[in-house]
Amino acid sequence: RRAILNPQSAVVGTEARNSTDSLFAIEILDPKNPLSLELKNGQPTVSFSNKQIYAIRVINRAPFEVAVRISVDGLGLFTFSNPEFRIPATPQGEPKYSVIIVDAAKDGKPGETIIQGWHRNNKAGGDDSFQVTEYSKSAAGLLNKPDNIGTITAAFQACWDKQKDGEKMPDLIAKSEPAQGKGRGGDDKFATGFGPPTGVGKVEVQREFGDVRETISVRYEVK
């Protein structure tokens, strides 16, 4: 609960974590190789150039799957999903999806996935790559959302397959499940917009979820 209400930050190599021994991490890629991070005012920070295309690597060292909610400049990964991936009966057709699933660690290797851009559809090339641009041309600028500019955030929660493991939370997850608990940043001139089509495609799955365990944020600056 403390980690959620008052998140701490650490940089380990090229990974942003909540602490040096955290099971969860993110890296910012260029979009293939990890970029250097530094702590500024206690916040992991990465430097971009204008028109930079980047990706986000999500890393899971826990022995169970995690569901990860990604937001960039305060906007969810699925904000711009095509109409067929939206719920018609909801206000303004809310996105059908909210999280991506990252595999459990196995044989000493972490589970990981690379998120290359804003979701449009589930086909290969169905994402719009993350690209730094002027605020007026950015995703946040398109929706007139000036808060949280310059932030990349990942919120982690355990998940499990109800058909495989049943509705009850598996013991492996339950024994470490946390107790439930409950501004603007970055550069005023730049934010993340839409780059060329990218992505390897996605597969829809159904999962049950635990509580949010950690939230990791990286600020970005444009030079």
Side-chain angles (χ1 to χ4, degrees), residues 75-163:
L75 301 178
L77 181 66
F78 301 98
T79 298
F80 302 97
S81 295
N82 290 346
E84 64 267 31
F85 296 98
R86 309 186 81 85
I87 305 172
T90 59
Q92 300 178 349
E94 292 178 6
K96 182 178 181 181
Y97 307 136
S98 59
V99 298
I100 54 102
I101 306 301
V102 183
D103 290 339
K106 186 176 181 181
D107 299 329
K109 296 182 179 180
E112 63 176 58
T113 191
I114 295 176
I115 301 167
Q116 295 177 303
W118 306 100
H119 176 264
R120 293 290 189 176
N121 60 64
N122 289 349
K123 298 178 181 179
D127 299 334
D128 288 340
S129 54
F130 297 127
Q131 184 171 30
V132 176
T133 188
E134 294 83 1
Y135 173 76
S136 61
K137 301 177 183 178
S138 71
L142 180 67
L143 299 180
N144 193 26
K145 300 284 188 180
D147 296 329
N148 300 307
I149 299 300
T151 59
I152 301 166
T153 301
F156 293 76
Q157 56 195 120
C159 66
W160 66 97
D161 187 335
K162 183 169 68 173
Q163 291 185 333

Coordinates of all heavy atoms in Angstrom, one line a residue, residues 75-163:
L75 N -2.6 9.1 -20.9 CA -3.6 8.4 -21.7 C -3.3 6.9 -21.8 O -2.2 6.5 -22.0 CB -3.6 9.0 -23.2 CG -3.8 10.5 -23.3 CD1 -3.7 10.9 -24.8 CD2 -5.2 10.8 -22.8
G76 N -4.3 6.1 -21.7 CA -4.2 4.7 -21.7 C -3.7 4.1 -23.1 O -4.0 4.8 -24.1
L77 N -3.1 3.0 -23.1 CA -2.6 2.4 -24.3 C -3.7 2.2 -25.3 O -3.4 2.2 -26.5 CB -1.9 1.1 -23.9 CG -1.3 0.3 -25.0 CD1 -0.1 1.0 -25.6 CD2 -0.9 -1.1 -24.5
F78 N -4.9 1.9 -24.9 CA -6.0 1.6 -25.8 C -6.9 2.7 -26.0 O -8.1 2.5 -26.6 CB -6.8 0.4 -25.2 CG -5.9 -0.8 -25.0 CD1 -5.4 -1.1 -23.7 CD2 -5.6 -1.7 -26.0 CE1 -4.6 -2.2 -23.5 CE2 -4.8 -2.8 -25.8 CZ -4.3 -3.1 -24.5
T79 N -6.5 4.0 -25.7 CA -7.4 5.1 -25.9 C -7.8 5.3 -27.4 O -8.9 5.7 -27.6 CB -6.6 6.4 -25.5 OG1 -6.3 6.3 -24.1 CG2 -7.4 7.7 -25.7
F80 N -7.0 4.9 -28.3 CA -7.3 5.2 -29.7 C -7.6 3.9 -30.5 O -7.5 3.8 -31.7 CB -6.1 5.9 -30.4 CG -5.8 7.2 -29.7 CD1 -4.7 7.3 -28.8 CD2 -6.5 8.3 -30.0 CE1 -4.5 8.5 -28.1 CE2 -6.2 9.5 -29.3 CZ -5.2 9.6 -28.4
S81 N -8.0 2.8 -29.8 CA -8.4 1.6 -30.4 C -9.5 1.8 -31.5 O -10.4 2.7 -31.3 CB -8.9 0.6 -29.4 OG -7.8 0.2 -28.5
N82 N -9.5 1.1 -32.6 CA -10.5 1.2 -33.6 C -11.9 0.8 -33.1 O -12.0 0.2 -32.0 CB -10.1 0.3 -34.8 CG -8.9 0.7 -35.5 OD1 -8.5 1.9 -35.4 ND2 -8.4 -0.1 -36.4
P83 N -12.9 1.3 -33.8 CA -14.3 1.0 -33.3 C -14.6 -0.4 -32.9 O -15.4 -0.7 -32.0 CB -15.2 1.5 -34.4 CG -14.4 2.6 -35.1 CD -12.9 2.1 -35.0
E84 N -14.1 -1.4 -33.7 CA -14.4 -2.8 -33.4 C -13.8 -3.3 -32.1 O -14.1 -4.4 -31.6 CB -14.0 -3.7 -34.5 CG -12.5 -3.7 -34.8 CD -12.0 -2.7 -35.8 OE1 -12.7 -1.6 -35.9 OE2 -11.0 -3.0 -36.6
F85 N -12.9 -2.5 -31.5 CA -12.3 -2.8 -30.2 C -12.8 -1.9 -29.1 O -12.1 -1.6 -28.1 CB -10.8 -2.8 -30.3 CG -10.3 -3.8 -31.3 CD1 -9.9 -3.5 -32.6 CD2 -10.1 -5.2 -30.9 CE1 -9.5 -4.4 -33.5 CE2 -9.7 -6.1 -31.8 CZ -9.4 -5.8 -33.1
R86 N -14.0 -1.4 -29.3 CA -14.6 -0.5 -28.3 C -15.9 -1.1 -27.9 O -16.5 -1.9 -28.6 CB -14.7 0.9 -28.8 CG -13.4 1.5 -29.4 CD -13.5 2.9 -29.8 NE -13.3 3.8 -28.7 CZ -12.2 4.2 -28.3 NH1 -11.1 3.7 -28.8 NH2 -12.1 5.0 -27.2
I87 N -16.5 -0.6 -26.7 CA -17.7 -1.2 -26.2 C -18.8 -0.2 -26.6 O -18.9 0.9 -26.0 CB -17.7 -1.3 -24.7 CG1 -16.5 -2.2 -24.3 CG2 -18.9 -1.9 -24.1 CD1 -16.2 -2.3 -22.8
P88 N -19.7 -0.6 -27.5 CA -20.7 0.4 -28.0 C -21.6 1.0 -27.0 O -22.0 2.1 -27.1 CB -21.5 -0.5 -29.0 CG -20.6 -1.6 -29.4 CD -19.8 -1.9 -28.1
A89 N -22.0 0.2 -25.9 CA -23.0 0.7 -25.0 C -22.4 1.6 -23.9 O -23.2 2.2 -23.1 CB -23.6 -0.5 -24.3
T90 N -21.1 1.9 -23.9 CA -20.5 2.7 -22.9 C -20.4 4.2 -23.5 O -20.4 4.4 -24.7 CB -19.1 2.2 -22.5 OG1 -18.3 2.2 -23.7 CG2 -19.2 0.8 -21.9
P91 N -20.2 5.1 -22.5 CA -20.1 6.5 -23.0 C -18.9 6.7 -23.9 O -17.8 6.2 -23.6 CB -19.9 7.3 -21.7 CG -20.5 6.4 -20.6 CD -20.3 5.0 -21.1
Q92 N -19.1 7.2 -25.1 CA -18.1 7.5 -26.1 C -17.3 6.2 -26.5 O -16.2 6.3 -27.0 CB -17.0 8.5 -25.5 CG -17.7 9.8 -25.1 CD -16.7 10.8 -24.5 OE1 -15.5 10.4 -24.2 NE2 -17.1 12.0 -24.4
G93 N -18.0 5.1 -26.3 CA -17.4 3.8 -26.8 C -16.1 3.5 -26.1 O -15.0 3.5 -26.8
E94 N -16.1 3.2 -24.8 CA -14.8 3.0 -24.1 C -14.1 1.8 -24.7 O -14.7 0.9 -25.2 CB -15.2 2.8 -22.6 CG -15.7 4.0 -21.9 CD -16.1 3.7 -20.5 OE1 -15.8 2.6 -20.0 OE2 -16.7 4.6 -19.8
P95 N -12.7 1.8 -24.6 CA -11.9 0.7 -25.1 C -12.3 -0.6 -24.5 O -12.6 -0.7 -23.3 CB -10.5 1.1 -24.8 CG -10.5 2.6 -24.6 CD -11.9 2.9 -24.0
K96 N -12.3 -1.6 -25.3 CA -12.6 -3.0 -24.9 C -11.5 -3.5 -23.9 O -11.8 -4.3 -23.0 CB -12.8 -3.9 -26.1 CG -13.1 -5.3 -25.8 CD -13.3 -6.1 -27.1 CE -13.7 -7.5 -26.9 NZ -13.8 -8.3 -28.1
Y97 N -10.3 -3.1 -24.2 CA -9.2 -3.6 -23.4 C -8.6 -2.5 -22.4 O -8.8 -1.4 -22.7 CB -8.0 -4.1 -24.3 CG -8.4 -5.0 -25.4 CD1 -7.9 -4.9 -26.7 CD2 -9.2 -6.1 -25.1 CE1 -8.2 -5.8 -27.7 CE2 -9.6 -7.0 -26.1 CZ -9.1 -6.8 -27.4 OH -9.4 -7.7 -28.4
S98 N -7.9 -3.0 -21.4 CA -7.4 -2.0 -20.4 C -5.9 -2.4 -20.1 O -5.2 -1.5 -19.6 CB -8.2 -1.9 -19.2 OG -8.3 -3.2 -18.5
V99 N -5.5 -3.7 -20.2 CA -4.2 -4.1 -19.8 C -3.6 -5.0 -20.8 O -4.3 -5.5 -21.7 CB -4.3 -4.8 -18.4 CG1 -4.8 -4.0 -17.3 CG2 -5.1 -6.1 -18.5
I100 N -2.2 -5.2 -20.7 CA -1.5 -6.2 -21.4 C -1.1 -7.2 -20.4 O -0.8 -6.9 -19.2 CB -0.4 -5.6 -22.3 CG1 0.6 -4.8 -21.4 CG2 -0.9 -4.8 -23.4 CD1 1.8 -5.5 -21.0
I101 N -0.9 -8.5 -20.8 CA -0.5 -9.6 -19.9 C 0.9 -9.9 -20.2 O 1.4 -10.1 -21.4 CB -1.4 -10.8 -20.2 CG1 -2.9 -10.5 -20.0 CG2 -1.0 -11.9 -19.2 CD1 -3.3 -9.9 -18.7
V102 N 1.7 -10.0 -19.1 CA 3.1 -10.4 -19.2 C 3.3 -11.7 -18.5 O 2.9 -11.9 -17.4 CB 4.0 -9.3 -18.6 CG1 5.5 -9.6 -18.7 CG2 3.7 -7.9 -19.2
D103 N 4.0 -12.6 -19.2 CA 4.2 -14.0 -18.7 C 5.0 -14.0 -17.4 O 5.7 -13.0 -17.1 CB 5.0 -14.8 -19.7 CG 4.2 -15.1 -20.9 OD1 3.0 -15.1 -20.9 OD2 4.9 -15.4 -22.0
A104 N 4.8 -15.1 -16.6 CA 5.6 -15.3 -15.4 C 7.1 -15.5 -15.7 O 7.4 -16.0 -16.8 CB 5.0 -16.4 -14.6
A105 N 7.9 -15.3 -14.7 CA 9.3 -15.7 -14.9 C 9.4 -17.2 -14.9 O 8.6 -17.9 -14.2 CB 10.1 -15.1 -13.7
K106 N 10.4 -17.7 -15.6 CA 10.5 -19.2 -15.8 C 11.9 -19.5 -16.0 O 12.6 -18.8 -16.9 CB 9.6 -19.7 -16.9 CG 9.5 -21.2 -17.1 CD 8.6 -21.6 -18.2 CE 8.5 -23.1 -18.3 NZ 7.5 -23.5 -19.4
D107 N 12.4 -20.5 -15.4 CA 13.8 -21.0 -15.5 C 14.8 -19.9 -15.4 O 15.8 -19.9 -16.1 CB 13.9 -21.7 -16.9 CG 13.0 -22.9 -17.1 OD1 12.7 -23.6 -16.1 OD2 12.6 -23.1 -18.2
G108 N 14.6 -19.0 -14.4 CA 15.5 -18.0 -14.1 C 15.5 -16.8 -15.1 O 16.2 -15.8 -14.9
K109 N 14.5 -16.8 -16.0 CA 14.4 -15.7 -17.0 C 13.1 -15.0 -16.7 O 12.1 -15.6 -16.5 CB 14.4 -16.2 -18.4 CG 15.8 -16.9 -18.8 CD 15.7 -17.3 -20.3 CE 17.1 -17.9 -20.7 NZ 17.0 -18.4 -22.1
P110 N 13.1 -13.6 -16.7 CA 11.9 -12.9 -16.5 C 10.9 -13.0 -17.7 O 11.4 -13.2 -18.8 CB 12.4 -11.5 -16.3 CG 13.7 -11.4 -17.1 CD 14.3 -12.8 -16.9
G111 N 9.7 -12.9 -17.4 CA 8.7 -12.7 -18.5 C 8.8 -11.2 -18.9 O 9.1 -10.3 -18.1
E112 N 8.6 -11.0 -20.2 CA 8.7 -9.6 -20.7 C 7.9 -9.5 -22.0 O 7.6 -10.5 -22.7 CB 10.1 -9.2 -21.0 CG 10.9 -10.0 -22.0 CD 12.3 -9.4 -22.3 OE1 13.1 -9.4 -21.4 OE2 12.5 -9.1 -23.5
T113 N 7.5 -8.3 -22.3 CA 6.9 -7.9 -23.6 C 7.3 -6.5 -23.9 O 7.6 -5.7 -23.0 CB 5.4 -8.0 -23.5 OG1 4.8 -8.0 -24.8 CG2 4.8 -6.9 -22.6
I114 N 7.3 -6.2 -25.2 CA 7.7 -4.9 -25.7 C 6.4 -4.2 -26.3 O 5.8 -4.8 -27.2 CB 8.8 -5.0 -26.7 CG1 10.1 -5.5 -26.1 CG2 9.1 -3.6 -27.4 CD1 11.2 -5.7 -27.1
I115 N 6.1 -3.1 -25.8 CA 5.0 -2.3 -26.3 C 5.5 -1.2 -27.2 O 6.2 -0.3 -26.8 CB 4.2 -1.7 -25.1 CG1 3.7 -2.8 -24.2 CG2 3.0 -0.9 -25.6 CD1 3.2 -2.4 -22.9
Q116 N 5.1 -1.3 -28.5 CA 5.7 -0.4 -29.5 C 4.9 0.8 -29.8 O 5.4 1.7 -30.4 CB 6.0 -1.2 -30.7 CG 7.0 -2.3 -30.5 CD 7.2 -3.2 -31.8 OE1 6.3 -3.7 -32.3 NE2 8.5 -3.2 -32.2
G117 N 3.6 0.8 -29.4 CA 2.8 2.0 -29.8 C 1.4 1.9 -29.3 O 1.0 0.9 -28.7
W118 N 0.6 2.9 -29.7 CA -0.8 3.0 -29.4 C -1.6 1.9 -30.1 O -1.4 1.8 -31.3 CB -1.4 4.4 -29.8 CG -0.7 5.6 -29.3 CD1 0.2 6.3 -29.9 CD2 -0.8 6.2 -28.0 NE1 0.7 7.4 -29.1 CE2 0.0 7.3 -27.9 CE3 -1.6 5.8 -26.8 CZ2 0.1 8.1 -26.8 CZ3 -1.5 6.7 -25.7 CH2 -0.6 7.8 -25.7
H119 N -2.4 1.2 -29.4 CA -3.2 0.1 -30.0 C -4.3 0.7 -30.9 O -5.0 1.6 -30.6 CB -3.9 -0.7 -28.9 CG -4.8 -1.8 -29.4 ND1 -6.2 -1.6 -29.6 CD2 -4.5 -3.1 -29.9 CE1 -6.7 -2.7 -30.0 NE2 -5.8 -3.6 -30.2
R120 N -4.4 0.1 -32.1 CA -5.5 0.4 -33.1 C -6.3 -0.9 -33.3 O -7.5 -0.9 -33.2 CB -4.9 0.9 -34.4 CG -4.3 2.3 -34.3 CD -5.3 3.4 -34.1 NE -4.6 4.7 -34.2 CZ -5.3 5.9 -34.2 NH1 -6.6 5.8 -33.9 NH2 -4.7 7.0 -34.3
N121 N -5.6 -2.0 -33.6 CA -6.2 -3.3 -33.8 C -5.2 -4.4 -33.4 O -4.1 -4.1 -33.1 CB -6.7 -3.5 -35.3 CG -5.6 -3.3 -36.3 OD1 -4.7 -4.2 -36.3 ND2 -5.7 -2.3 -37.1
N122 N -5.6 -5.6 -33.5 CA -4.8 -6.8 -33.1 C -3.9 -7.4 -34.2 O -3.2 -8.3 -33.9 CB -5.7 -7.8 -32.5 CG -6.3 -7.4 -31.1 OD1 -5.9 -6.4 -30.6 ND2 -7.3 -8.2 -30.7
K123 N -3.9 -6.8 -35.3 CA -3.1 -7.4 -36.4 C -1.7 -6.9 -36.3 O -1.4 -5.9 -35.7 CB -3.7 -6.9 -37.8 CG -5.1 -7.4 -38.0 CD -5.6 -6.9 -39.4 CE -7.1 -7.4 -39.6 NZ -7.6 -6.8 -40.9
A124 N -0.8 -7.6 -37.0 CA 0.6 -7.2 -37.1 C 0.6 -5.8 -37.8 O -0.1 -5.6 -38.8 CB 1.4 -8.2 -37.9
G125 N 1.3 -4.9 -37.3 CA 1.3 -3.5 -37.8 C 0.1 -2.7 -37.3 O -0.2 -1.7 -37.9
G126 N -0.6 -3.2 -36.3 CA -1.9 -2.6 -35.9 C -1.7 -1.6 -34.8 O -2.7 -1.2 -34.2
D127 N -0.5 -1.2 -34.5 CA -0.3 -0.1 -33.5 C 0.3 1.1 -34.2 O 1.0 1.0 -35.3 CB 0.7 -0.5 -32.4 CG 0.2 -1.7 -31.7 OD1 -1.0 -1.9 -31.6 OD2 1.1 -2.5 -31.1
D128 N 0.1 2.3 -33.7 CA 0.8 3.5 -34.1 C 1.9 3.7 -33.2 O 1.7 3.9 -31.9 CB -0.2 4.7 -34.0 CG -1.2 4.7 -35.1 OD1 -1.0 4.0 -36.1 OD2 -2.3 5.4 -34.9
S129 N 3.1 3.7 -33.7 CA 4.3 3.8 -32.8 C 4.3 5.1 -32.0 O 3.8 6.1 -32.4 CB 5.6 3.7 -33.7 OG 5.6 4.7 -34.7
F130 N 5.0 5.0 -30.8 CA 5.1 6.1 -29.9 C 6.2 7.0 -30.6 O 7.3 6.6 -30.8 CB 5.6 5.7 -28.6 CG 4.7 4.8 -27.8 CD1 5.1 3.6 -27.3 CD2 3.4 5.2 -27.6 CE1 4.2 2.8 -26.5 CE2 2.5 4.5 -26.8 CZ 2.9 3.2 -26.3
Q131 N 5.8 8.3 -30.8 CA 6.8 9.2 -31.4 C 6.6 10.6 -30.8 O 5.5 11.1 -30.7 CB 6.5 9.3 -32.9 CG 7.6 10.2 -33.6 CD 7.5 10.2 -35.1 OE1 6.4 10.0 -35.7 NE2 8.6 10.4 -35.8
V132 N 7.8 11.1 -30.3 CA 7.8 12.4 -29.7 C 7.5 13.5 -30.8 O 8.0 13.4 -31.9 CB 9.1 12.7 -29.1 CG1 9.2 14.1 -28.5 CG2 9.4 11.7 -28.0
T133 N 6.6 14.4 -30.4 CA 6.3 15.5 -31.3 C 5.8 16.7 -30.6 O 5.8 16.7 -29.3 CB 5.2 15.0 -32.3 OG1 5.0 16.0 -33.3 CG2 3.9 14.8 -31.6
E134 N 5.5 17.8 -31.3 CA 5.0 19.0 -30.6 C 3.7 18.7 -30.0 O 2.9 17.9 -30.5 CB 4.8 20.1 -31.6 CG 6.1 20.7 -32.2 CD 6.6 19.8 -33.4 OE1 5.9 18.8 -33.8 OE2 7.7 20.1 -34.0
Y135 N 3.4 19.3 -28.8 CA 2.2 19.0 -28.1 C 0.9 19.1 -29.0 O 0.0 18.3 -28.9 CB 2.1 20.0 -26.9 CG 0.7 19.9 -26.2 CD1 0.5 18.8 -25.3 CD2 -0.3 20.8 -26.4 CE1 -0.8 18.6 -24.7 CE2 -1.5 20.7 -25.8 CZ -1.7 19.6 -24.9 OH -3.0 19.4 -24.3
S136 N 0.9 20.1 -29.8 CA -0.3 20.4 -30.7 C -0.6 19.2 -31.6 O -1.7 19.0 -32.1 CB -0.1 21.7 -31.5 OG 1.0 21.6 -32.4
K137 N 0.5 18.4 -31.9 CA 0.3 17.3 -32.8 C 0.3 15.9 -32.1 O 0.2 14.9 -32.7 CB 1.5 17.2 -33.8 CG 1.6 18.5 -34.7 CD 2.8 18.4 -35.6 CE 3.0 19.6 -36.4 NZ 4.3 19.6 -37.2
S138 N 0.3 16.0 -30.8 CA 0.4 14.8 -30.0 C -0.9 14.2 -29.6 O -2.0 14.8 -29.9 CB 1.2 15.1 -28.6 OG 0.3 15.9 -27.8
A139 N -0.9 13.0 -29.0 CA -2.1 12.3 -28.6 C -2.8 13.1 -27.6 O -4.1 13.3 -27.6 CB -1.8 10.9 -28.1
A140 N -2.1 13.6 -26.6 CA -2.7 14.5 -25.5 C -3.2 15.8 -26.1 O -4.3 16.2 -25.7 CB -1.7 14.7 -24.4
G141 N -2.5 16.3 -27.1 CA -3.0 17.6 -27.7 C -4.2 17.4 -28.5 O -5.1 18.2 -28.5
L142 N -4.3 16.2 -29.2 CA -5.5 15.9 -29.9 C -6.8 15.9 -29.1 O -7.9 16.3 -29.5 CB -5.3 14.5 -30.6 CG -6.5 14.0 -31.5 CD1 -6.7 14.8 -32.7 CD2 -6.2 12.5 -31.9
L143 N -6.6 15.4 -27.8 CA -7.8 15.3 -26.9 C -7.8 16.5 -25.9 O -8.6 16.5 -25.0 CB -7.7 14.0 -26.1 CG -7.8 12.7 -27.0 CD1 -7.7 11.5 -26.1 CD2 -9.1 12.7 -27.8
N144 N -6.9 17.4 -26.1 CA -6.8 18.6 -25.2 C -6.7 18.1 -23.7 O -7.4 18.5 -22.8 CB -8.0 19.5 -25.3 CG -7.9 20.8 -24.7 OD1 -6.7 21.3 -24.5 ND2 -9.0 21.4 -24.3
K145 N -5.7 17.3 -23.5 CA -5.4 16.7 -22.1 C -4.0 17.2 -21.7 O -3.0 16.4 -21.9 CB -5.5 15.2 -22.1 CG -6.8 14.6 -22.5 CD -7.8 14.8 -21.4 CE -9.1 14.0 -21.8 NZ -10.1 14.1 -20.7
P146 N -3.9 18.4 -21.1 CA -2.5 18.9 -20.8 C -1.9 18.3 -19.6 O -0.7 18.6 -19.3 CB -2.8 20.4 -20.7 CG -4.2 20.5 -20.1 CD -4.9 19.3 -20.8
D147 N -2.6 17.6 -18.8 CA -2.0 17.0 -17.5 C -1.2 15.8 -17.8 O -1.4 15.0 -18.8 CB -3.1 16.7 -16.5 CG -3.9 17.9 -16.1 OD1 -3.3 19.0 -16.0 OD2 -5.1 17.7 -15.8
N148 N -0.2 15.6 -17.0 CA 0.7 14.4 -17.0 C 1.5 14.3 -18.3 O 2.0 13.2 -18.6 CB -0.2 13.1 -16.8 CG -0.9 13.1 -15.5 OD1 -0.3 13.3 -14.5 ND2 -2.2 12.9 -15.5
I149 N 1.8 15.4 -19.0 CA 2.6 15.3 -20.1 C 4.0 15.0 -19.7 O 4.5 15.4 -18.7 CB 2.6 16.7 -20.8 CG1 1.2 17.1 -21.3 CG2 3.6 16.7 -22.0 CD1 0.6 16.1 -22.3
G150 N 4.7 14.1 -20.5 CA 6.1 13.8 -20.2 C 6.2 12.6 -19.2 O 7.2 12.5 -18.6
T151 N 5.2 11.8 -19.1 CA 5.2 10.7 -18.2 C 4.9 9.4 -18.9 O 3.9 9.3 -19.7 CB 4.3 10.8 -16.9 OG1 3.0 11.0 -17.4 CG2 4.7 12.1 -16.1
I152 N 5.6 8.3 -18.6 CA 5.3 7.0 -19.0 C 5.1 6.1 -17.8 O 6.0 6.0 -16.9 CB 6.5 6.4 -19.9 CG1 6.7 7.3 -21.1 CG2 6.2 5.0 -20.3 CD1 8.0 7.0 -21.8
T153 N 3.9 5.5 -17.6 CA 3.6 4.8 -16.4 C 3.1 3.4 -16.6 O 2.4 3.1 -17.6 CB 2.5 5.6 -15.6 OG1 3.0 6.9 -15.4 CG2 2.1 4.9 -14.3
A154 N 3.5 2.5 -15.8 CA 3.1 1.1 -15.8 C 2.6 0.7 -14.4 O 3.3 0.8 -13.5 CB 4.2 0.2 -16.3
A155 N 1.4 0.2 -14.3 CA 0.8 -0.3 -13.1 C 0.7 -1.8 -13.1 O 0.0 -2.3 -14.1 CB -0.5 0.4 -12.8
F156 N 1.2 -2.5 -12.2 CA 1.3 -4.0 -12.2 C 0.3 -4.6 -11.2 O 0.2 -4.2 -10.1 CB 2.7 -4.4 -11.8 CG 3.8 -4.1 -12.8 CD1 4.3 -2.8 -12.9 CD2 4.3 -5.0 -13.6 CE1 5.3 -2.5 -13.8 CE2 5.3 -4.7 -14.6 CZ 5.8 -3.4 -14.6
Q157 N -0.4 -5.6 -11.6 CA -1.2 -6.4 -10.7 C -1.2 -7.9 -11.2 O -1.1 -8.2 -12.4 CB -2.7 -5.9 -10.7 CG -3.3 -5.8 -12.1 CD -4.6 -5.0 -12.0 OE1 -4.7 -4.0 -12.8 NE2 -5.6 -5.3 -11.2
A158 N -1.2 -8.8 -10.2 CA -1.2 -10.2 -10.5 C -2.5 -10.6 -11.2 O -3.5 -9.9 -11.1 CB -1.1 -11.0 -9.2
C159 N -2.4 -11.6 -12.1 CA -3.6 -12.1 -12.7 C -3.5 -13.6 -12.9 O -2.4 -14.2 -12.8 CB -3.8 -11.4 -14.1 SG -2.5 -11.7 -15.3
W160 N -4.6 -14.2 -13.2 CA -4.6 -15.7 -13.5 C -5.8 -16.0 -14.4 O -6.7 -15.3 -14.6 CB -4.7 -16.5 -12.1 CG -6.0 -16.3 -11.4 CD1 -7.1 -17.1 -11.4 CD2 -6.4 -15.2 -10.5 NE1 -8.1 -16.7 -10.6 CE2 -7.7 -15.5 -10.0 CE3 -5.7 -14.1 -10.0 CZ2 -8.3 -14.7 -9.1 CZ3 -6.4 -13.3 -9.2 CH2 -7.7 -13.5 -8.7
D161 N -5.6 -17.2 -15.0 CA -6.6 -17.7 -16.0 C -7.7 -18.4 -15.2 O -7.5 -19.5 -14.6 CB -5.9 -18.7 -17.0 CG -6.8 -19.1 -18.1 OD1 -8.0 -19.1 -18.0 OD2 -6.2 -19.5 -19.2
K162 N -8.9 -17.8 -15.3 CA -10.0 -18.4 -14.5 C -10.4 -19.8 -15.0 O -10.7 -20.7 -14.2 CB -11.3 -17.5 -14.6 CG -12.5 -18.0 -13.8 CD -13.5 -16.9 -13.7 CE -14.2 -16.7 -15.0 NZ -15.4 -15.8 -14.9
Q163 N -10.3 -20.0 -16.3 CA -10.7 -21.3 -16.9 C -9.7 -22.4 -16.5 O -10.0 -23.6 -16.3 CB -10.8 -21.3 -18.4 CG -11.9 -20.4 -18.9 CD -12.1 -20.5 -20.4 OE1 -11.1 -20.7 -21.1 NE2 -13.3 -20.3 -20.9

